Amino acid sequence: MALWRVCVTWFLLLGGGVFSATLGEGSAGSPTDEVRRVVLVKTHKTGSSTLANILFRFGEARNLSFVLPDDDIRLGWPGRFPGRFSEKLYGRPVSEFDMVVNHAVFNFEVMSRFVPNARFISVVRQPLSQFLSAWNFFSFKGVKNMSSPVFSEDEFRALLAKRHDLPRTTQYRIFNSQSHTLGFTHYSHTYGNAANQTAASASDRTLVQRWMDDLFSKLSCVLVIERFDESLVVMAHALAWRLEDVAYIPINVNRRRHRKIMPPSVKRGALELLTTDSQLYDRATQLLEAQFHAVPGGEQRLELLQRHVTALRSSCSRSTANRSREETDFCWRCGAMQTTYTKLLKAKAGVLCSWPLRSYNEVEARPPPEIDELFHRACISPVERRRAPFDKEQHLPSNTRPPALSRMDRRRRYADGGDRHGAAPARMTVPSR
């Protein structure tokens, strides 16, 4: 197996934990007209983890750079992109990147400075379905009755009573979550009549329509999870990607035994709260319908994509003993969740490593040996991590000296060709097993 060559081109915004890693080897014979600068506005509980996996695999295979969060999940969400950082650097990133994939609130101007000339995409879900999925997936302590299979009216009233006492991250995961992530909260604060207007309480249809007009003028496509395959055909056409590049295995599907059932009375109450998301979803489905019919040979391309998806799932469902090493590596990547893939990209870059890599994977219970060895070679061991807790301040870039590193980091980088003070080599070669 070819050696992984990892070129480290990372930066950390002061106090924010955002860095880039340029990774892997380019894909030979890839189309010259395919779009390689993409920003995914990743919404919650909408199938966005599956879409993120597609983008991670596409970017890694083509040596593209990612803006990655230090917590493996959020780039400032539910606050502004890309998170806490020096005001001196606001809107003036140290470098340019190719992709944003992790959770972030849409901000076209700022994101465009990090990824110039990017195509913006997102994915939405029927609001009641998203609301119930978020309710089943996330923890609502003191509100949710875990022993009951029904989302009762008492639970719903308790949720409304404690709505403003919930943590901000919890509020924006369930109350018009998709609109918030796509920038409506900021838009309503900027252009709305009420200074305290939020995505969860907006009632001004004119304001919502103006926001959606502005939003959809900046997005190349908005996928709809209920029509995911058709959405991928539209996305592949808009980005000039091959259909085999967007074949997928469903990621982060809620398979818990205890899923709440929502009775009609609760559905009616929830819909009254989700007016902004409902208008967004209706607009997105209308746009998708028009875009799909505008794709040349759309129905034939849909059938071809579905064959690619069936072949991928069939290949990855086989026993590891019946797959080649390359197939096993690829199938592990196809099943890797957002946090897992982010950890892998960090490990390949050898900076800001986070534990553990062995998080849940839709396909493989354990990482393939080559990936496991790469991760352990790039990161300090759990024992050393417990002895010396990770300090992200160590990795702040400096114009005058290399960042201060732990003894283990200095030892590792010196062994990989860096200087004895711990400065990273320009290129690191990480051998496979």
Side-chain angles (χ1 to χ4, degrees):
M1 185 176 181
L3 300 180
W4 284 104
R5 298 200 306 172
V6 183
C7 177
V8 179
T9 59
W10 64 279
F11 83 99
L12 183 64
L13 294 176
L14 185 59
V18 182
F19 71 95
S20 153
T22 303
L23 307 157
E25 295 183 355
S27 176
S30 56
T32 56
D33 58 346
E34 65 184 12
V35 176
R36 296 193 173 192
R37 291 198 164 187
V38 181
V39 173
L40 167 62
V41 185
K42 191 174 186 296
T43 49
H44 283 86
K45 307 311 299 173
T46 58
S48 63
S49 293
T50 301
L51 182 56
N53 180 273
I54 293 172
L55 268 66
F56 276 134
R57 286 187 280 121
F58 181 91
E60 184 191 14
R62 288 158 177 77
N63 196 35
L64 304 184
S65 58
F66 296 83
V67 182
L68 299 172
D70 64 347
D71 69 352
D72 305 325
I73 303 174
R74 294 175 289 268
L75 288 163
W77 191 97
R80 65 183 184 181
F81 173 87
R84 302 185 309 274
F85 58 98
S86 171
E87 289 298 329
K88 294 180 180 179
L89 296 177
Y90 181 77
R92 295 189 293 112
V94 178
S95 185
E96 294 180 358
F97 307 95
D98 298 309
M99 284 191 169
V100 172
V101 178
N102 297 78
H103 285 293
V105 174
F106 177 67
N107 187 320
F108 182 79
E109 289 74 20
V110 177
M111 287 176 164
S112 294
R113 295 182 187 122
F114 283 80
V115 189
N117 304 313
R119 298 286 185 89
F120 286 74
I121 63 174
S122 188
V123 57
V124 296
R125 181 177 183 176
Q126 200 281 330
L128 269 180
S129 178
Q130 190 276 337
F131 180 89
L132 185 58
S133 179
W135 178 260
N136 287 327
F137 189 83
F138 296 111
S139 174
F140 292 86
K141 294 181 179 179
V143 179
K144 187 189 297 186
N145 182 0
M146 298 298 296
S147 62
S148 173
V150 178
F151 191 164
S152 67
E153 292 187 23
D154 290 339
E155 281 183 288
F156 186 66
R157 283 193 291 267
L159 176 63
L160 294 182
K162 296 186 177 181
R163 170 178 164 185
H164 298 293
D165 297 327
L166 295 172
R168 195 162 66 114
T169 54
T170 303
Q171 293 182 41
Y172 286 129
R173 282 171 175 160
I174 193 167
F175 296 116
N176 289 288
S177 171
Q178 300 169 85
S179 301
H180 171 76
T181 299
L182 285 163
F184 180 68
T185 303
H186 174 73
Y187 187 92
S188 64
H189 287 168
T190 305
Y191 300 104
N193 296 324
N196 62 349
Q197 190 173 27
T198 67
S201 62
S203 58
D204 186 345
R205 291 187 63 89
T206 302
L207 178 68
V208 175
Q209 289 298 324
R210 290 204 310 267
W211 163 69
M212 288 195 298
D213 290 342
D214 180 69
L215 173 69
F216 283 94
S217 70
K218 295 172 180 175
L219 297 175
S220 295
C221 63
V222 178
L223 290 77
V224 177
I225 190 59
E226 287 81 5
R227 300 174 62 181
F228 193 56
D229 288 353
E230 294 168 86
S231 298
L232 288 176
V233 169
V234 171
M235 186 188 81
H237 179 69
L239 303 181
W241 288 10
R242 300 173 301 179
L243 289 177
E244 53 263 41
D245 290 329
V246 299
Y248 64 93
I249 293 174
I251 301 294
N252 202 21
V253 178
N254 185 5
R255 296 188 176 91
R256 298 178 181 178
R257 294 181 182 177
H258 304 290
R259 295 194 209 178
K260 295 279 189 176
I261 300 172
M262 185 180 289
S265 58
V266 176
K267 288 183 179 180
R268 288 192 295 269
L271 276 175
E272 293 178 2
L273 293 173
L274 304 174
T275 54
T276 314
D277 268 11
S278 296
Q279 294 176 64
L280 171 68
Y281 180 78
D282 291 343
R283 180 78 166 263
T285 53
Q286 293 171 10
L287 179 62
L288 174 65
E289 183 73 20
Q291 288 180 324
F292 180 74
H293 289 297
V295 175
E299 294 293 342
Q300 291 76 16
R301 290 174 65 83
L302 177 60
E303 292 179 6
L304 180 57
L305 171 62
Q306 291 171 341
R307 289 200 294 269
H308 283 305
V309 171
T310 301
L312 174 63
R313 294 182 185 180
S314 175
S315 174
C316 291
S317 65
R318 298 201 309 267
S319 169
T320 305
N322 297 325
R323 296 199 302 255
S324 68
R325 187 168 64 183
E326 289 75 13
E327 287 177 323
T328 299
D329 286 359
F330 180 70
C331 287
W332 183 86
R333 283 174 165 81
C334 289
M337 292 171 59
Q338 171 193 226
T339 53
T340 308
Y341 222 122
T342 302
K343 292 171 190 290
L344 171 64
L345 299 183
K346 290 180 181 181
K348 292 179 70 174
V351 292
L352 289 175
C353 297
S354 50
W355 295 85
L357 183 63
R358 288 190 183 93
S359 57
Y360 180 75
N361 188 290
E362 297 284 349
V363 179
E364 301 290 339
R366 293 173 58 90
E370 290 75 16
I371 294 176
D372 203 28
E373 181 177 336
L374 167 66
F375 181 76
H376 286 288
R377 178 175 172 81
C379 298
I380 61 177
S381 70
V383 174
E384 289 294 333
R385 181 176 170 82
R386 285 195 296 269
R387 290 176 180 171
F390 178 73
D391 181 6
K392 63 186 177 184
E393 296 295 329
Q394 294 176 351
H395 298 272
L396 291 176
S398 169
N399 295 327
T400 58
R401 63 181 185 278
L405 301 175
S406 68
R407 180 182 300 176
M408 180 60 68
D409 279 337
R410 289 198 300 271
R411 190 179 302 164
R412 170 173 54 79
R413 289 194 170 179
Y414 183 52
D416 282 331
D419 65 34
R420 61 180 65 249
H421 298 291
R427 298 188 71 84
M428 294 191 297
T429 301
V430 183
S432 60
R433 190 180 294 272

